Structure formats: C-alpha cells, structure tokens
Amino acid sequence: VVVRLGGIYGPGRTRLIERVRDQAGCVAGFRRYTNRIHRDDCVGVLAHLMRLESPRSLYVAVDDQPATELEVMRWLALRLGAPPPVEELEEDSSTRTNKRCSNHRLRDSGYRFRYPTYQTGYEAVLRAVSAP
C-alpha cells in the first residue's frame, strides 16, 4: 500500500507559523493551492490502513480543505495577531505546485480525520505553542 502524505504540520513542524511570525512574504498572483495533513492524522491514517482487511493499493492522505498558501498564512497571521503576509511576485514557478488533492478514497475506507481542516489542526498547534 502506498500512502502519499500532503504537507505535514503539527508539533515540531511549525515552519509556516514561524514564517508568519517572521513576516516572511508569500507569493502573490495566481492561486497556488497546497494540501496539508496534521501529524496526528498521518499516524491515524497509517494505523487505520494497517487494520483494513483489503486496502486499496494507493491513498492520498490530505485533509478536507486544500487552500492557497496565502490563505493559510493570512489566517495564521490573524490568529497570531501578526501583520498579514506581504505578497511578493513569483520569480520561478517551476518549483511550485498547484494541486487540490482529494482524500475521498481514504474517507471512503472509513477514516475520520481528527483535524479535517487546516484551521482545526493549526488551532491545536497554536494552543500547544502558546501553553506555558
């Protein structure tokens, strides 16, 4: 069984949060979609698939909500009380992807996400980061 994981975030994987805190720029222009999955759902997906009697050969493990990087960074900035990201012009689009991946096969197998959207997942991360 092959599992293709989206952009993993969660405890210890806070690169995007740090970019927002550091007021890093974000590529402007076309809507470049990205796909994410919380670390805990990565583990949950793998455990779920190992318990299936007859799993399919390929699954895409991403949450329910593809979003542009700019959208996620703006949302994080609002939650952090930080300025919104500065939109920058893109120099090289050859390394950028723009895909909205579907988790339908995974959902159809019976998996239920602990963090079905980037908002619910990042809320948990932000609570953990803010905790004393």
Side-chain angles (χ1 to χ4, degrees):
V1 175
V2 175
V3 181
R4 170 59 171 98
L5 299 167
I8 303 170
Y9 68 95
R13 293 178 164 268
T14 58
R15 182 181 65 83
L16 199 57
I17 293 171
E18 298 311 317
R19 285 184 56 207
V20 170
R21 283 187 174 144
D22 294 342
Q23 298 180 12
C26 185
V27 174
F30 76 97
R31 295 180 56 86
R32 185 174 71 83
Y33 279 87
T34 60
N35 301 270
R36 292 171 176 70
I37 186 166
H38 190 281
R39 176 205 66 184
D40 294 353
D41 277 315
C42 292
V43 173
V45 164
L46 296 175
H48 167 76
L49 293 175
M50 286 189 282
R51 287 189 298 265
L52 292 180
E53 187 173 311
S54 298
R56 306 274 304 263
S57 62
L58 176 66
Y59 293 88
V60 176
V62 295
D63 69 18
D64 293 342
Q65 189 176 7
T68 65
E69 183 175 76
L70 182 59
E71 176 184 343
V72 178
M73 289 180 75
R74 283 180 175 162
W75 184 87
L76 283 170
L78 185 64
R79 298 294 299 132
L80 292 167
V86 174
E87 296 181 51
E88 299 174 343
L89 295 177
E90 186 171 30
E91 293 180 15
D92 178 15
S93 63
S94 65
T95 60
R96 304 282 183 178
T97 62
N98 185 33
K99 298 175 183 139
R100 284 181 262 191
C101 297
S102 170
N103 64 15
H104 287 134
R105 180 177 288 180
L106 183 59
R107 283 232 177 242
D108 288 347
S109 76
Y111 185 73
R112 297 296 171 249
F113 282 84
R114 181 172 181 184
Y115 302 107
T117 66
Y118 73 85
Q119 292 100 330
T120 57
Y122 273 115
E123 281 290 345
V125 175
L126 292 173
R127 279 193 304 273
V129 170
S130 301

